[in-house]
Amino acid sequence: MARSLRPRKSNARLNPRKNPPTRLPDVLEEDDHSSGSDFAPDEKKDAEADGDEEDKDEDMASVSDDNQEPVIVAAPPKAKPKRAAARPRIAGGTRQRIVHHRHRAVPLHSPTTDVERLASKPSSPFVKTSTTLTKSFTHDSKTTDRVNKAWGYNVGPGPVWELVEDRAWFKEAQAGAEIEDDRRPVVHSDIKTSIEFKMLTTIEATPYLPSDVLAADDGTLNPPTPVTCFLGPHDNQTSVQFSRFGSRKNSDFIPESKAHIFNPGAPVWGLDWCPIHPSARAGRNYTQYLAVAPFPTKNHSPDVGVRAPRPALACIQIWACDASGMRCETVLCIESGPAYDLKWCPLPSHDKTSKRLGFLGGTFEDGTLSVYAVPDCPRDASGPSFIHIADPIIRIEMVETACWSFDWANSDVVAIGTTNGVIVVYNIGAALKEYTPDKSTVVDILPTHYVPVHQSAIRALTWIRVPPCSADGTPRLDGNPTVIASGGYDGMECMTDIREGRGSVMNRTRDVINTMIFSPYAGGPITIDHENIVKAYSASPSMLGRGHTLLEPGGPVWCISTSDMHPQLAVACADGALSTTNMLRSTRRGGSVPFWIHKIIKSTTVANRNFVCWSDSAYGIAPTSKTGAWPREVGVQRVVWNAGNGLGCAGMLASATGRWMRDKFPYGDVERLRGGTAVVDDSESE
């Protein structure tokens, strides 16, 4: 009797109309290979999240399967089906929201109030600027997407003036603040600091100033040897000698350049711009002030954790920059040793009554964090004013460790990274209120938090400047930030919520973490990784700890700097290059906007290493060296954007300006992109 064989069920085709298949669970897949980034899309099906009609620069063509009938083939009988990875869940059984970030930064703080933007291109940082109110970056999702994409079209070395806005948050800002006068008010104006100082002559100030390595036979300190630089186009350079306190305009050699070159006398480890309130800028002729902390000699090498006994003679120089050039105004002769880190109070703290330029904090070789009230004493015809300040108004000192790095959260709170791996938080605002002119240095201050995080010294530390949230998720705009990002000599990069009392490792690398900084545009801290890579890490809860590469410099990174006004990143390297790049350039392949890394300056040495050749990007850059080691004379040790003196000074790094890809403004013009109202002149408040 004949038998008929039934077809195998494994080869049977299912009719989806008669037998509708059950919906398979979503699978989270990694897609790092497409861009080399650690920011991996959580789902492949995300073209609709980034495929609006304005995004013409990326190959985001989507294929529609609406008219195709899906065919499901059963698995072989012996094959074990793979279980799909379930979506991560959070407390309460709720599914975690998947973010279609497409490698774009997620804002951590989303205010909806209007902000200022420039109404016209500023002709100079030293003139009045007119602004207009417009929608903020985070006003709504549409504005965020448009401005985010528009920033990606900037291919210049600096910011484009049309999109510059202040995205910083400080608890001292007035409620609903829109203009800079209210967003960055003058702080500590009620603290009257009768600064006790003594004017010194040049001879009396000599022990505090940078000097030559070798002293004279009678023990007298010699001034440092002048630095010989070759300035101008790299194929036609001019030899120029810079003595201590000497300066020159680079436009004397390259007409297109707007850079200034000056010599403080020794290597610099501390550098920061002094914030000035808009109401006080016109009275100072829009002069910008730069605090510079040099070492005693060019051969000075600090030892981690080793305190220098006081008095340790050193100096802090206050340089003024205006339309006429750079000049040293004041030299503070101090006894705390040279500064390892130097930062002004982030909000204007000047006071005309007390003749105070501001509060300047720093970590010094004596192992302390000290805050100085810097007097406002202009230079005379003979040169800078030499002022001896024996003691600061606040000195924080710990018996078991030394202060190594620090950062201001606002005008009241500071975090200190110590040489034994502990993060210490102090509320110095309360201590400043206790200070009186007849009282000596405030020293008896107890920390609010003491958190062991690293296994060795903490060299880099930054606050994540976003407001804390209440239990219902509402931002507490009057509170202090609570999250600190840090990096140490143990190669660990951590995020610490001081409310938890412990740190969480977000990355490990076999290198020393020399620098770390927070950017509101990048949505998290920016630091270095292995092989000198500069990476941005997300602090958003939906992508916490994920990072992607921003650039790969040609040498070890000494310092990186970001601004609250724009997303341009500045990187200082040991190979003599100062580079900038756009952090909001989309990393997706196939876009029409290329990746640009601009070398603002490039310094090299000749064979005998007695001369430094300095090149400016305004007229070409010298050829890149092929070596993997560089002399210390060419390294760029510090870099900082000017973020506290208004939108017109936001590009002050190397006088760099941005430009649009193909000189075409995205979305037509700035009014269509953001919307605006009446023009506001910053001179109205003066």
Side-chain angles (χ1 to χ4, degrees):
M1 185 173 74
R3 273 190 319 179
S4 61
L5 300 177
R6 293 183 299 174
R8 295 179 62 183
K9 292 183 179 180
S10 59
N11 294 329
R13 292 179 178 266
L14 302 179
N15 189 334
R17 295 180 178 177
K18 296 182 180 180
N19 302 298
T22 58
R23 188 180 187 275
L24 297 178
D26 295 328
V27 180
L28 303 180
E29 299 183 359
E30 298 290 337
D31 192 25
D32 289 12
H33 63 277
S34 63
S35 62
S37 167
D38 295 337
F39 269 171
D42 293 299
E43 294 179 289
K44 285 187 176 181
K45 192 174 61 177
D46 58 357
E48 67 273 13
D50 212 33
D52 55 317
E53 59 182 3
E54 289 87 5
D55 199 5
K56 301 294 185 181
D57 66 313
E58 299 180 347
D59 54 345
M60 301 181 61
S62 60
V63 180
S64 176
D65 294 333
D66 295 340
N67 298 326
Q68 298 180 9
E69 294 186 358
V71 178
I72 300 179
V73 180
K78 294 184 180 181
K80 185 177 181 180
K82 295 182 179 180
R83 295 188 61 185
R87 292 189 181 187
R89 294 176 179 271
I90 58 178
T94 306
R95 290 181 182 272
Q96 183 179 1
R97 185 172 65 90
I98 302 301
V99 178
H100 299 279
H101 51 80
R102 189 52 77 183
H103 305 281
R104 299 187 191 274
V106 177
L108 300 180
H109 178 46
S110 302
T112 58
T113 56
D114 290 349
V115 296
E116 287 181 297
R117 68 168 177 85
L118 292 170
S120 60
K121 183 178 180 179
S123 59
S124 169
F126 314 113
V127 297
K128 295 185 296 184
T129 57
S130 60
T131 61
T132 181
L133 295 179
T134 185
K135 293 181 180 179
S136 65
F137 185 95
T138 55
H139 185 273
D140 52 56
S141 59
K142 184 177 181 180
T143 302
T144 300
D145 292 340
R146 282 175 171 260
V147 179
N148 205 332
K149 293 175 184 177
W151 268 118
Y153 284 90
N154 177 22
V155 295
V160 285
W161 65 267
E162 294 93 339
L163 298 185
V164 172
E165 69 169 283
D166 187 1
R167 290 188 59 190
W169 165 80
F170 295 101
K171 72 172 186 178
E172 294 85 351
Q174 297 182 13
E178 296 179 342
I179 61 176
E180 184 186 3
D181 302 57
D182 301 330
R183 296 175 63 91
R184 294 174 179 261
V186 177
V187 296
H188 303 313
S189 57
D190 56 335
I191 300 175
K192 304 304 178 183
T193 53
S194 178
I195 307 172
E196 297 183 1
F197 59 85
K198 176 185 177 183
M199 300 295 296
L200 303 179
T201 64
T202 304
I203 297 178
E204 293 174 335
T206 298
Y208 299 87
L209 303 179
S211 60
D212 197 7
V213 178
L214 300 177
D217 294 337
D218 58 354
T220 305
L221 297 177
N222 295 322
T225 305
V227 178
T228 302
C229 296
F230 286 89
L231 305 179
H234 58 81
D235 56 350
N236 184 24
Q237 293 190 322
T238 304
S239 175
V240 181
Q241 284 194 340
F242 288 89
S243 59
R244 185 177 59 193
F245 304 135
S247 64
R248 290 292 295 270
K249 286 185 177 181
N250 201 39
S251 58
D252 297 340
F253 312 96
I254 302 178
E256 298 86 354
S257 177
K258 298 180 181 179
H260 299 271
I261 309 168
F262 64 94
N263 179 21
V268 173
W269 269 36
L271 190 71
D272 198 21
W273 295 95
C274 177
I276 302 295
H277 194 262
S279 61
R281 291 171 190 164
R284 299 177 180 271
N285 296 322
Y286 296 93
T287 302
Q288 308 297 316
Y289 298 93
L290 188 66
V292 182
F295 276 178
T297 66
K298 67 178 182 179
N299 288 345
H300 184 80
S301 180
D303 295 325
V304 180
V306 178
R307 303 168 184 263
R310 287 191 295 269
L313 307 186
C315 73
I316 299 175
Q317 304 171 11
I318 308 299
W319 287 73
C321 181
D322 56 19
S324 62
M326 294 284 298
R327 61 189 179 277
C328 184
E329 290 279 324
T330 308
V331 178
L332 305 181
C333 300
I334 61 176
E335 299 180 358
S336 300
Y340 294 154
D341 204 355
L342 198 68
K343 294 177 183 178
W344 292 91
C345 175
L347 296 176
S349 54
H350 48 77
D351 182 65
K352 190 174 182 179
T353 304
S354 301
K355 295 183 179 181
R356 183 179 68 228
L357 186 61
F359 289 112
L360 180 63
T363 54
F364 296 89
E365 195 175 33
D366 63 349
T368 66
L369 180 136
S370 301
V371 179
Y372 287 89
V374 179
D376 189 3
C377 295
R379 61 182 286 149
D380 53 25
S382 61
S385 301
F386 299 100
I387 300 175
H388 177 246
I389 302 179
D391 296 304
I393 61 172
I394 290 181
R395 176 181 288 140
I396 296 175
E397 191 170 13
M398 288 168 275
V399 177
E400 72 280 8
T401 185
C403 301
W404 189 237
S405 59
F406 90 108
D407 190 29
W408 297 81
N410 42 49
S411 63
D412 292 337
V413 179
V414 297
I416 305 173
T418 63
T419 55
N420 65 349
V422 177
I423 296 177
V424 191
V425 180
Y426 285 87
N427 188 338
I428 64 172
L432 285 173
K433 291 179 175 59
E434 297 177 1
Y435 178 83
T436 56
D438 57 347
K439 187 177 181 179
S440 59
T441 303
V442 179
V443 295
D444 298 328
I445 308 176
L446 293 177
T448 60
H449 299 81
Y450 191 91
V451 186
V453 177
H454 292 268
Q455 299 177 4
S456 59
I458 300 174
R459 185 67 191 99
L461 179 142
T462 183
W463 284 94
I464 307 298
R465 291 193 181 96
V466 293
C469 292
S470 58
D472 58 357
T474 305
R476 293 170 46 203
L477 300 181
D478 59 345
N480 295 313
T482 61
V483 179
I484 300 172
S486 60
Y489 281 74
D490 55 0
M492 291 199 306
E493 297 160 344
C494 303
M495 283 192 189
T496 304
D497 192 327
I498 58 177
R499 296 171 297 185
E500 295 183 354
R502 61 182 179 87
S504 300
V505 179
M506 63 180 180
N507 187 45
R508 287 186 176 91
T509 181
R510 295 180 178 178
D511 204 350
V512 176
I513 311 301
N514 290 315
T515 178
M516 182 177 292
I517 196 166
F518 168 71
S519 170
Y521 285 86
I526 301 173
T527 184
I528 59 176
D529 201 356
H530 60 89
E531 298 180 356
N532 307 322
I533 295 174
V534 179
K535 297 184 71 173
Y537 292 91
S538 176
S540 171
S542 58
M543 297 184 297
L544 185 61
R546 296 185 183 179
H548 71 279
T549 300
L550 295 176
L551 77 159
E552 299 182 15
V557 177
W558 275 116
C559 182
I560 56 179
S561 178
T562 60
S563 175
D564 297 330
M565 310 290 181
H566 55 78
Q568 295 297 112
L569 177 71
V571 180
C573 296
D575 64 345
L578 170 59
S579 306
T580 63
T581 190
N582 184 1
M583 294 186 293
L584 293 189
R585 166 64 180 95
S586 176
T587 57
R588 186 171 183 181
R589 296 188 303 176
S592 61
V593 183
F595 286 91
W596 285 96
I597 299 176
H598 300 270
K599 287 187 177 180
I600 306 301
I601 61 173
K602 182 69 172 72
S603 56
T604 56
T605 57
V606 294
N608 58 10
R609 298 186 179 181
N610 292 328
F611 307 98
V612 177
C613 302
W614 195 83
S615 301
D616 192 311
S617 62
Y619 207 88
I621 289 294
T624 303
S625 174
K626 301 296 183 181
T627 183
W630 302 269
R632 61 186 177 185
E633 291 82 1
V634 305
V636 183
Q637 184 70 40
R638 279 290 182 269
V639 59
V640 59
W641 287 102
N642 189 351
N645 291 283
L647 303 179
C649 297
M652 289 192 67
L653 174 76
S655 298
T657 57
R659 67 180 180 89
W660 296 111
M661 180 66 179
R662 301 191 184 97
D663 295 325
K664 182 180 179 182
F665 195 97
Y667 303 100
D669 54 48
V670 68
E671 295 295 336
R672 290 185 57 190
L673 176 66
R674 310 190 63 160
T677 56
V679 174
V680 179
D681 197 319
D682 67 356
S683 62
E684 295 178 358
S685 61
E686 300 167 1

